Amino acid sequence: MSEQEGKGGGPITARLSDREQVEKTADRLRDELLLTLEELERRRERAFDMRYQVQHVLEKNQDLLVKVGAAAGALLVVSVGVSWWRARHREELLWKHRARAVRRAWEHPDRVASHAEERPVPCELGRKLVLIFATTLASAMAKRAVKSLVPPTEDERASGGKKRLGLRINQTQAHA
């Protein structure tokens, strides 16, 4: 048995010397590398080719674009129709608004400009107090959330988290 057959060489490489086999393998690897580089170059060109990218996106999302275009067209038709109808009936609508305003003024002469029901003072006061409480609570929760997210400064670490009562005046020493 020859050395070539012992290495598992096939009938093609059986007649070649070791050097020739290495050269053939190197040539094959070089060709594969060149093909890979050419494919990478082609992909790079496609990635930076805006026409190709736009065309690819349009082909891929054609159904969605048709639906969005149809919805936009329908919205345009509806808005044009509504504006045309309002223009045709502007006088009628104006007279309806005026009639409502006169009716409101007749029913409640103290509230001519507003058509909202006037609430009693205790209800308004209670509503405002609830809003103040909710705002204060939300503010406190937001402060606590921010404090938990932001790491403590060196001054806070040095004080050990001790809280002082009274006014807090931030004084920083000037650095030259």
Side-chain angles (χ1 to χ4, degrees), residues 162-174:
K162 296 177 187 173
K163 293 188 177 183
R164 295 184 334 175
L165 297 175
L167 289 177
R168 216 184 274 178
I169 301 172
N170 292 333
Q171 295 180 350
T172 58
Q173 294 181 359

Side-chain angles (χ1 to χ4, degrees), residues 102-152:
V102 168
R103 217 175 305 124
R104 239 186 355 259
W106 186 261
E107 290 171 1
H108 305 283
D110 53 335
R111 292 185 289 126
V112 175
S114 172
H115 61 274
E117 289 293 324
E118 194 172 306
R119 295 184 184 135
V121 175
C123 289
E124 280 296 315
L125 184 63
R127 187 181 69 84
K128 288 182 181 180
L129 286 173
V130 167
L131 284 174
I132 290 170
F133 176 75
T135 306
T136 306
L137 182 65
S139 174
M141 289 173 62
K143 279 182 183 178
R144 185 168 289 158
V146 168
K147 273 190 176 180
S148 68
L149 292 175
V150 176

Side-chain angles (χ1 to χ4, degrees), residues 2 6 17 24 35 51 57 86 102 108 110 123 125 169:
S2 73
S17 69
K24 284 230 184 246
L35 286 173
R51 269 194 192 148
V57 167
R86 285 182 60 108
V102 168
H108 305 283
D110 53 335
C123 289
L125 184 63
I169 301 172

